Amino acid sequence: MTEVIDVYINGGFRKSEGTETIPVTNPATQEVLIEAPFVTMGEIDEAVAAAKTAFLEWRLVPSSERVRYMMNYQLLLKEHHDEIAEILAKETGKTFADAKGDVWRGIEVVEQACNIPSMMMGETSENVARGIDTYSLIQPLGVCVGITPFNFPAMIPLWMFPMAVACGNTFVLKPSEQDPMTPNKLIELFYEAGFPKDLVQLVHGGKEQVNALITHQDTRTISFVGSVAVGQHVYRLGTDHLKRVQCMAGAKNHMIIMPDADKAQVISALVGSSVGAAGQRCMAISVAVFVGDAQYWIPEVREAMSKVRPGAWDDEDAGYGPQISAAAKQRILGFIDAGKKEGAVCELDGSDCRVDGLPDGNFVGPTLFSDVTTDMSIYKEEIFGPVLVAVNADNLEEAIVIINDNPYGNGTSIFTASGGAARKFQSEIEVGQVGINIPIPVPLPFFSFTGWKNSFYGDQHAYGKQAVRFYTETKTITARWFSTESSEPVASNMTIELK
């Protein structure tokens, strides 16, 4: 019988009382690694109650002391970096190098959480009226919830609970049921770092468990990363229940290639950003907009993409791994078939991909379409696979219109040698994260992850300064003190003669 992975509820790791489970498989082999449980509604209540109780004491711990715990945690994450990455690679199929990057980007956010005392400083204005001062306090909210996806099982949970906890909150994490082993390891190390019990609860499950956490009367905030459809559901349900919600959702990221760009840099960037991580990242480049004569580079892009092959996580020559599930693979194959039927030119077809020794893997080869128009499904829909579509534009103005007309606004980039073109692009483009000669412009943690349009629902974004605002509330105090001798305000009552 396959082992069922633990949950962390009310003081420690244990087996869930839930009887329903889902198999967690290695997507390269279909080997069942472990079973993930669907926790009961009673366990949801117990987890939230334990987090609520822990909050009463944790909120009083000085921020400098909270940071010392966080420093211990980031050190443990670094010491176990390769171990976490191997767990992650086996359950997601990512190459080991890609898995290590996933873990490291999460560690960077934990390091940023160590700066929380300065990020939670309020403001003071002395003598706003005679003898009266006004100042603000930044205070934690209570029990926060995180719902995270399969594609970054280390980085995205680490976007959330370290910042929330550093601010003085407690947290309930519900990771993807498709790869729960990595989040479990993160929480194991969290408590090994010395944090008091119950600050972070870890539960597993599906839609029912997510809905219960969102609607629970004692949860205050909801952080979500995932698809557009689920993100819209989470946002509507959360706001209907008067919760503070941030939802990072889908994407269709475009790269503009100007004819004055460095061709070798463009081709290298396009290949890595489109098929890397099997295309299973919300910041992948999935649309290349070739401006003017740059469209004649497509054959060289095809040649470069054809040299990339997928493989197992421990294959050092593999460019990327399998799709997360057989269903995900079939969805991608459906889009490739639709693109052919809609009239796009399939320059490179990865539908019939075979990897030696892994006949059951969920592999899709690099795929390139040219002559794509904006009314085709392969342009309009997020494919979430190693599929790049090429669109042509006569000039930069037309390319910008194409991107701005797209309903998504997660990330975009331009490759050019022109400072004027780059400045026009960054000023006029309606996308939250912009790269100039950088294909995937994910900001470092001292900035925030700032998707726009249908790529984000909410007001405050993930990590950085906006995360602090999301996980805290501002209290403004207006104070007046009187002299104990005269019961008059301490400040002078002198008046200034206006001349």
Side-chain angles (χ1 to χ4, degrees):
M1 184 176 178
T2 306
E3 180 187 359
V4 178
I5 198 167
D6 287 346
V7 295
Y8 183 101
I9 297 175
N10 194 14
F13 285 99
R14 72 190 199 200
K15 298 301 177 187
S16 171
E17 299 168 2
T19 57
E20 182 183 359
T21 62
I22 185 172
V24 178
T25 60
N26 179 331
T29 64
Q30 308 308 322
E31 171 196 2
V32 176
L33 303 173
I34 206 162
E35 298 272 342
F38 288 70
V39 299
T40 66
M41 294 301 101
E43 287 175 315
I44 292 287
D45 288 339
E46 186 181 358
V48 174
K52 183 179 180 181
T53 299
F55 170 70
L56 299 178
E57 293 188 12
W58 181 244
R59 68 187 301 274
L60 301 177
V61 174
S63 59
S64 58
E65 292 184 29
R66 299 200 296 265
V67 164
R68 294 185 193 113
Y69 289 110
M70 202 61 67
M71 288 179 173
N72 289 340
Y73 187 42
Q74 61 90 20
L75 179 60
L76 276 176
L77 289 172
K78 290 176 181 176
E79 290 175 351
H80 291 266
H81 178 264
D82 286 5
E83 178 189 355
I84 301 168
E86 183 171 335
I87 294 169
L88 191 156
K90 288 179 178 178
E91 66 177 346
T92 64
K94 287 188 178 186
T95 63
F96 189 50
D98 195 11
K100 288 198 291 184
D102 185 334
V103 178
W104 185 255
R105 291 308 300 264
I107 291 173
E108 290 178 329
V109 178
V110 177
E111 291 177 335
Q112 178 67 5
C114 294
N115 295 321
I116 207 68
S118 61
M119 291 190 287
M120 290 186 68
M121 292 172 64
E123 298 176 313
T124 299
S125 185
E126 185 184 26
N127 216 37
V128 295
R130 286 185 172 80
I132 298 176
D133 305 325
T134 299
Y135 49 96
S136 62
L137 305 177
I138 310 299
Q139 297 185 331
L141 294 169
V143 181
C144 304
V145 172
I147 303 158
T148 60
F150 75 84
N151 58 330
F152 286 94
M155 181 185 75
I156 294 179
L158 291 173
W159 279 6
M160 297 178 184
F161 72 82
M163 293 297 293
V165 168
C167 287
N169 302 288
T170 54
F171 204 88
V172 182
L173 175 64
K174 206 301 289 182
S176 171
E177 64 275 16
Q178 296 185 86
D179 45 14
M181 296 164 62
T182 301
N184 269 55
K185 186 65 180 178
L186 298 180
I187 302 307
E188 176 188 321
L189 294 174
F190 178 84
Y191 286 107
E192 189 176 326
F195 282 98
K197 69 178 184 178
D198 286 332
L199 297 189
V200 178
Q201 310 284 314
L202 174 64
V203 299
H204 298 296
K207 181 177 180 179
E208 184 181 5
Q209 287 72 24
V210 167
N211 289 346
L213 288 168
I214 294 171
T215 60
H216 199 288
Q217 63 179 1
D218 291 328
T219 59
R220 298 292 307 277
T221 72
I222 312 297
S223 299
F224 168 85
V225 177
S227 69
V228 171
V230 180
Q232 290 176 343
H233 166 76
V234 169
Y235 186 71
R236 289 188 179 107
L237 185 63
T239 53
D240 281 349
H241 284 78
L242 307 180
K243 305 301 172 74
R244 186 177 293 185
V245 186
Q246 57 176 195
C247 289
M248 281 65 74
K252 197 71 176 181
N253 305 315
H254 297 58
M255 178 195 290
I256 291 180
I257 299 101
M258 299 297 290
D260 64 354
D262 184 295
K263 185 193 297 185
Q265 291 180 349
V266 165
I267 292 172
S268 175
L270 266 181
V271 172
S273 60
S274 60
V275 305
Q280 297 177 126
R281 51 189 177 195
C282 66
M283 287 292 286
I285 294 296
S286 55
V287 180
V289 184
F290 290 90
V291 176
D293 289 345
Q295 64 186 287
Y296 297 116
W297 302 354
I298 290 177
E300 292 167 88
V301 174
R302 177 184 64 227
E303 182 182 0
M305 290 181 68
S306 69
K307 295 177 181 178
V308 181
R309 66 169 184 83
W313 73 271
D314 55 354
D315 181 351
E316 295 183 358
D317 295 325
Y320 61 90
Q323 309 310 129
I324 189 65
S325 66
K329 175 182 176 179
Q330 289 304 312
R331 181 177 180 274
I332 295 165
L333 296 183
F335 276 114
I336 295 173
D337 186 55
K340 297 172 185 175
K341 292 177 179 177
E342 290 172 337
V345 176
C346 190
E347 302 275 357
L348 183 64
D349 188 351
S351 298
D352 193 26
C353 180
R354 297 286 185 271
V355 174
D356 291 343
L358 298 169
D360 299 322
N362 306 321
F363 294 102
V364 177
T367 300
L368 173 65
F369 283 97
S370 64
D371 290 340
V372 174
T373 58
T374 57
D375 60 344
M376 294 179 181
S377 63
I378 56 172
Y379 175 81
K380 294 189 294 183
E381 302 293 332
E382 183 178 27
I383 299 174
F384 223 59
V387 180
L388 177 65
V389 304
V391 176
N392 298 329
D394 290 335
N395 49 55
L396 177 58
E397 288 77 11
E398 182 182 339
I400 289 173
V401 169
I402 289 171
I403 297 175
N404 286 348
D405 284 348
N406 192 275
Y408 298 104
N410 212 38
T412 188
S413 61
I414 186 171
F415 274 67
T416 181
S418 168
R423 191 175 189 282
K424 176 181 177 65
F425 177 72
Q426 73 179 27
S427 175
E428 297 181 11
I429 207 71
E430 296 170 6
V431 175
Q433 295 163 119
V434 178
I436 297 173
N437 297 318
I438 292 174
I440 302 180
V442 178
L444 289 169
F446 31 87
F447 286 88
S448 296
F449 189 92
T450 52
W452 285 16
K453 298 192 285 192
N454 281 349
S455 294
F456 178 75
Y457 306 106
D459 299 305
Q460 301 292 344
H461 294 85
Y463 63 79
K465 293 180 181 178
Q466 292 196 34
V468 176
R469 291 195 288 269
F470 181 76
Y471 290 124
T472 61
E473 193 64 272
T474 301
K475 181 182 291 181
T476 304
I477 299 168
T478 302
R480 181 182 188 186
W481 292 94
F482 297 93
S483 167
T484 55
E485 296 179 358
S486 63
S487 297
E488 291 295 326
V490 175
S492 170
N493 286 323
M494 68 177 289
T495 59
I496 299 175
E497 182 179 355
L498 298 177
K499 295 184 179 179

